Amino acid sequence: MTLATCRSVRLAALASAVALIFAAPAPGIAQTAPAATTSPQSVVPPPAGLRPADKTAVRRSAARDAALPKPQGARKPAAPVTPSNPTKRAKISHAAVEPEHAFGDWDGFRTRLAKYGVNYSLNYTTESVANVSGGVKAGAAYAHQIALAVDVNWQTLAGLDGFSTHTIFINRAGNNASARFIGDNVLQAQEIYGAGFGQIVKLVWFYGEQKLADDKIDIAFGRLAPGSDFGASPLNCNFMTLTICGHNRALTSLQGFEDWPTSVWGARIKGQTTDTTYIMTGLFQSQPFPVPGESYTQGGYSGFDWTLKGTTGVSIPLELGFEPRLGPDEMPGHYKLGFNYDTSDYPDTFFDRQNLPLALTGLTGRPHHGRAQFWVEGDQMIARNGPNDNDGLILLASYAHDDSNTSLIRNFLWAGVLDRGFWDARPQDQIGFAATYYDVSNKITRTEQLEQSLDLPLYGNARGVQRNGAVFEANYGIHVAPGVLIQPELEYFLKPGATAAVSNSFLIGAKTNIDF
């Protein structure tokens, strides 16, 4: 073999090696397209009798041909499923998540009703906790709610374009762990406790809804509450404490921002200004919470007392909303900025009508005309685990401020995280963590300090001078069966009732939810 021939052979071998090196995937990098020259067999050998230079040209041509798209029907390696490759997952859904039902379609009963525009849900929720450390004493408490909701689409039933009605009934029973065992008169360990008034059936809401202009305008009117729409999120009640479910507690601690399960006369209008923004306002009756002797307000104990008697003013809420979908995974977010003004008169929490400390005189506080509060809150999915709007890692936060002249809570800050579908083997399980910090009105603190120095009962029957407090919560929702969720719960109350006079409390418990 001549020297020239040897050189030609080495050049041909080198060309083939280079082709193989550049065609092979780099170590640690996923191969997202078929590599045409990952093995010598993928290159067609040159015909015998060609010169070395011609053989090299043939090999290069074969490598290029192999790299071209295969004809239809040829097998290709599947592209990997990654967060940046959502098309390989189930199609992302923009529709509301349809709830599962333990009894399914009720032998076709649901489907038959839906054909006439009638939809219903029957739900049973329990919240049980045991105070195992701290507080005022050890003990356990159980509370439950049975809820029946009926929605009628009158366009389907009677041809009334865009009109529907919504009705909800509940039954509530049980005991309050915060009052009996924790010693907290501000926040509850079980949000579902209270306002059932021992009624077998209580009406929560009954209102009509009219949609106009291709659903860009939405009007609701009847027996409802500001909390039915303003500052509301379906994610909040994945938590069990009365910190964020159903609203930031600073908004609902007094009248003027009524919430589930009470109602007043009112109306609201929502306008979809763009695909991702809205503005919403309303006008609602303001009444005090029903108490013995005046049990007719806010629908009364049964929810069917629709009187105007006891009305002290009107509430005028306003909310601006931004609802983007971020990135190729269309991760949903909801951001709200809101303000509410109640025209009712409220007493000052430090000065009486003669501008003297009410702790010294025992007189009622001087009246303030009107009370204002505002809120900022949002949630944002930052990693998607599945097709639905709640399938992913979601960050949540809420801040509300109330008037410190007349309110118990001045600032209330809540933050949480939810992660649903993080475990491939159990895609409907969910884990959640939340933290709350709040402070009370500085006027109430000053009033209680004076009362304590005079050995008098403290404002609002507090167990000690109130300043601030915190609550921490962790839970894990276990999807047991269709429509059945069991959620073990851990709760820690730091300075229960916003006072250091009560020792920190640690609770274990569980929330169960069955949708029939």
Side-chain angles (χ1 to χ4, degrees):
M1 181 181 295
T2 66
L3 180 60
T5 303
C6 290
R7 287 176 177 172
S8 298
V9 170
R10 286 198 299 269
L11 287 172
L14 179 61
S16 297
V18 170
L20 289 174
I21 290 170
F22 282 98
I29 299 178
Q31 185 176 342
T32 58
T37 57
T38 56
S39 67
Q41 288 80 9
S42 65
V43 180
V44 179
L50 291 179
R51 292 176 302 172
D54 294 333
K55 291 179 181 180
T56 300
V58 169
R59 291 182 188 275
R60 289 173 176 166
S61 177
R64 286 195 301 270
D65 292 342
L68 293 174
K70 298 288 193 295
Q72 274 193 325
R75 296 182 61 185
K76 296 182 181 179
V81 178
T82 67
S84 60
N85 187 17
T87 58
K88 295 301 177 181
R89 256 195 314 271
K91 185 178 180 181
I92 295 172
S93 173
H94 292 181
V97 179
E98 289 294 329
E100 295 181 325
H101 305 291
F103 291 169
D105 196 30
W106 288 47
D107 196 27
F109 182 62
R110 285 182 179 276
T111 299
R112 289 193 295 273
L113 280 181
K115 289 181 179 178
Y116 294 97
V118 180
N119 292 279
Y120 71 92
S121 77
L122 179 61
N123 181 274
Y124 172 62
T125 301
T126 71
E127 294 178 348
S128 304
V129 291
N131 185 38
V132 297
S133 174
V136 293
K137 63 179 178 179
Y142 159 92
H144 80 241
Q145 174 182 276
I146 302 170
L148 172 65
V150 180
D151 301 311
V152 181
N153 184 332
W154 290 92
Q155 181 173 336
T156 302
L157 185 63
L160 301 179
D161 190 24
F163 182 65
S164 59
T165 55
H166 309 278
T167 312
I168 302 176
F169 302 95
I170 64 166
N171 167 272
R172 278 186 167 185
N175 295 298
N176 184 354
S178 286
R180 296 182 63 184
F181 307 119
I182 304 174
D184 193 323
N185 67 340
V186 180
L187 300 175
Q188 292 179 190
Q190 310 141 282
E191 58 79 22
I192 213 166
Y193 174 82
F197 304 112
Q199 302 293 304
I200 296 176
V201 176
K202 174 182 170 63
L203 175 68
V204 179
W205 295 333
F206 175 58
Y207 65 95
E209 182 179 17
Q210 179 66 57
K211 295 185 177 182
L212 304 168
D214 294 328
D215 296 348
K216 289 184 173 61
I217 298 176
D218 189 320
I219 304 170
F221 51 90
R223 295 294 302 184
L224 69 170
S228 59
D229 293 284
F230 294 88
S233 169
L235 299 173
N236 288 350
C237 285
N238 287 289
F239 298 92
M240 198 169 96
T241 57
L242 190 63
T243 54
I244 197 66
C245 179
H247 285 77
N248 187 303
R249 183 59 178 151
L251 299 179
T252 60
S253 61
L254 292 178
Q255 71 177 80
F257 196 99
E258 288 76 13
D259 194 14
W260 178 291
T262 62
S263 65
V264 292
W265 287 111
R268 66 105 178 108
I269 180 168
K270 179 180 180 181
Q272 198 73 35
T273 50
T274 69
D275 289 343
T276 58
T277 60
Y278 69 84
I279 183 170
M280 180 166 59
T281 189
L283 190 68
F284 296 87
Q285 177 187 27
S286 180
Q287 288 181 319
F289 194 73
V291 295
E294 295 183 359
S295 60
Y296 45 80
T297 55
Q298 295 188 15
Y301 290 167
S302 68
F304 287 95
D305 198 334
W306 297 353
T307 182
L308 296 178
K309 184 180 178 181
T311 301
T312 58
V314 295
S315 294
I316 311 167
L318 173 68
E319 183 174 279
L320 305 177
F322 175 49
E323 300 177 326
R325 288 182 174 272
L326 304 182
D329 280 347
E330 301 182 47
M331 296 180 291
H334 306 85
Y335 301 88
K336 305 170 189 288
L337 174 64
F339 174 83
N340 183 51
Y341 184 76
D342 180 6
T343 65
S344 304
D345 287 343
Y346 288 88
D348 194 277
T349 55
F350 184 78
F351 292 108
D352 67 10
R353 292 175 179 268
Q354 299 174 4
N355 288 330
L356 297 173
L358 54 86
L360 299 179
T361 65
L363 301 177
T364 58
R366 70 185 183 192
H368 288 264
H369 181 68
R371 179 173 131 260
Q373 51 188 184
F374 70 86
W375 61 94
V376 181
E377 60 182 50
D379 61 78
Q380 180 63 60
M381 180 184 288
I382 61 171
R384 181 177 282 280
N385 298 327
N388 297 314
D389 277 356
N390 59 348
D391 292 335
L393 178 62
I394 303 173
L395 304 181
L396 308 95
S398 175
Y399 169 76
H401 175 81
D402 212 337
D403 186 347
S404 61
N405 288 312
T406 57
S407 302
L408 170 63
I409 299 174
R410 180 176 56 174
N411 298 297
F412 197 99
L413 178 63
W414 180 94
V417 58
L418 290 169
D419 197 359
R420 184 177 191 268
F422 65 93
W423 188 2
D424 289 343
R426 299 193 57 81
Q428 297 187 69
D429 282 9
Q430 175 178 281
I431 192 168
F433 302 94
T436 300
Y437 170 83
Y438 67 98
D439 61 25
V440 303
S441 162
N442 57 349
K443 284 193 169 184
I444 288 180
T445 300
R446 292 165 59 197
T447 293
E448 291 173 344
Q449 287 172 331
L450 275 176
E451 291 169 334
Q452 187 179 64
S453 68
L454 297 170
D455 200 24
L456 296 172
L458 300 188
Y459 184 96
N461 297 316
R463 294 177 179 271
V465 175
Q466 296 175 292
R467 291 183 174 85
N468 53 63
V471 177
F472 302 93
E473 180 177 354
N475 59 55
Y476 186 90
I478 305 169
H479 182 262
V480 177
V484 181
L485 184 78
I486 298 177
Q487 182 173 295
E489 179 91 7
L490 298 175
E491 299 176 3
Y492 189 76
F493 282 66
L494 183 68
K495 294 198 288 188
T499 175
V502 181
S503 61
N504 300 339
S505 178
F506 176 64
L507 301 96
I508 60 173
K511 179 175 184 174
T512 62
N513 189 287
I514 304 174
D515 196 316
F516 297 99

